[in-house]
Amino acid sequence: MLALWWLSAAVSKLPESRVATTEACDSAELPAPAVVVGGAAVEPPISETIELRDGRTVALRTLHAELQLTYAHGLVAAEELEALVRLAESRGGFRRSPLRRQHSDGVIKDDIRNSSSCPLLWPMVYAGRAHEVAAAANGAALLEELSLATRISERVADLFSRSGMPTTAAHVEPLQLVRYQASELFGPHHDYHESPSSSVQGEQRSFTVLLFGSTLPPGSGGETRFPLLDVSVSPRTGDALIWANLLDDGTPNVRSLHEGRPPASGEKLAVNVWVADRPFDSSSDLERAVRT
Ligand SMILES: *[C@@H]1O[C@H](CO)[C@@H](O)[C@H](O)[C@H]1NC(C)=O
């Protein structure tokens, strides 16, 4: 308890105040996202506007009936994403994603991926260890990272709860920052666990919330593409793409296949927020997720 109290006291003093929490959101003026379905640009209307606990207003557009594929305007502030990138870089956290071989439906395929990623501090593990975090040489930066990761995890959980799916930050995996430089890509893949062995506690990844930290105009690459739905979406800073990885019965949906297309020039930044089908149990070993 003491450690948690200490964390909240420390967090309130942190550079957090430099980072905006709310932004004006006038849905009448929101620019339509760059979405291409079946080769043609589409402009789906705003279907819902949700006011979050922290004061942000998020406008949603349904992009496709399958996967509950949704575009969310203004889920995160550009300053929050810039701060996360700065903090990840300051601790040398970005790693070139491993090219691993994976089994999929009995077939071994090469997972083509040369983007870089950085798992962020997981509040499930570190919120209760703030004294240890603060004692590190770069303690102030780590606490700021923890504070931002906590805030974003709670915001995503709040969005899901207000959309009718009761969710807490305990359902959220460690956030994963990803960076694609020119020509880097992440080939077609699924986010769900192909087998329980890659999960932390036997959970499954129900939803992916992909927060965009860069804006790439249509035609300049960097799209998130769903080849089986023939939908592609260009990234825009602060907005997010949300989709279900599972079918209604909780089993993997192969149609959630998606890829990160390479930016033609410039770079693309994003944060993967995976929402699990159950809350993580912090009383048992979570170190496994921290190592990845
Ligand atoms: C990333 O991989 C793709 C596909 O293999 C390749 O075309 C591209 O040159 C690679 N980019 C870098 C920076 O290694």
Side-chain angles (χ1 to χ4, degrees):
M1 283 312 284
L2 192 59
L4 281 170
W5 171 84
W6 188 89
L7 174 65
S8 47
V11 159
S12 64
K13 281 186 274 152
L14 280 174
E16 172 151 45
S17 51
R18 284 195 275 116
V19 176
T21 41
T22 56
E23 275 176 352
C25 171
D26 180 353
S27 54
E29 288 175 13
L30 290 174
V35 180
V36 176
V37 181
V42 297
E43 202 173 305
I46 289 173
S47 45
E48 200 177 356
T49 299
I50 296 185
E51 175 135 4
L52 298 179
R53 199 168 49 200
D54 64 6
R56 291 186 84 76
T57 302
V58 176
L60 304 177
R61 298 179 197 255
T62 300
L63 301 190
H64 201 282
E66 281 190 71
L67 314 181
Q68 302 173 52
L69 185 63
T70 302
Y71 189 93
H73 287 269
L75 189 52
V76 68
E79 293 79 5
E80 292 174 319
L81 292 152
E82 281 159 17
L84 283 178
V85 173
R86 170 176 51 80
L87 294 163
E89 272 174 348
S90 75
R91 63 176 173 83
F94 279 103
R95 292 276 177 274
R96 182 65 78 94
S97 304
L99 291 166
R100 65 192 159 98
R101 310 199 84 200
Q102 66 175 19
H103 282 271
S104 178
D105 306 325
V107 183
I108 297 177
K109 61 179 184 191
D110 286 313
D111 188 7
I112 301 165
R113 178 180 193 187
N114 51 15
S115 48
S116 300
S117 62
C118 173
L120 299 174
L121 294 180
W122 197 9
M124 288 296 291
V125 169
Y126 291 105
R129 295 199 206 157
H131 51 293
E132 286 171 49
V133 173
N138 54 345
L142 294 176
L143 282 180
E144 186 184 2
E145 178 181 330
L146 188 55
S147 152
L148 278 165
T150 302
R151 189 203 290 182
I152 292 171
S153 302
E154 287 177 349
R155 187 181 303 154
V156 167
D158 190 31
L159 176 67
F160 276 73
S161 297
R162 283 168 202 258
S163 308
M165 194 181 111
T167 302
T168 68
H171 288 81
V172 179
E173 275 188 51
L175 307 187
Q176 189 200 47
L177 202 48
V178 284
R179 170 151 65 191
Y180 295 76
Q181 283 169 333
S183 91
E184 292 181 348
L185 51 78
F186 191 171
H189 64 282
H190 296 106
D191 285 356
Y192 53 71
H193 299 293
E194 307 263 352
S195 100
S197 64
S198 62
S199 72
V200 181
Q201 291 176 333
E203 80 290 344
Q204 191 48 282
R205 285 177 177 158
S206 298
F207 286 88
T208 298
V209 179
L210 185 64
L211 304 171
F212 295 125
S214 336
T215 300
L216 289 176
S220 50
E223 302 89 355
T224 302
R225 182 165 173 268
F226 295 81
L228 302 179
L229 308 188
D230 202 1
V231 173
S232 87
V233 181
S234 294
R236 193 162 60 207
T237 301
D239 295 351
L241 202 51
I242 305 172
W243 68 89
N245 296 304
L246 308 179
L247 296 164
D248 287 346
D249 67 2
T251 59
N253 185 352
V254 293
R255 292 181 60 78
S256 63
L257 190 76
H258 58 281
E259 62 181 317
R261 302 289 303 146
S265 62
E267 70 172 24
K268 171 185 168 186
L269 286 156
V271 180
N272 270 308
V273 186
W274 288 300
V275 178
D277 61 354
R278 68 198 72 172
F280 290 97
D281 175 4
S282 60
S283 68
S284 86
D285 181 30
L286 291 172
E287 297 296 328
R288 203 187 135 80
V290 177
R291 281 199 305 269
T292 61

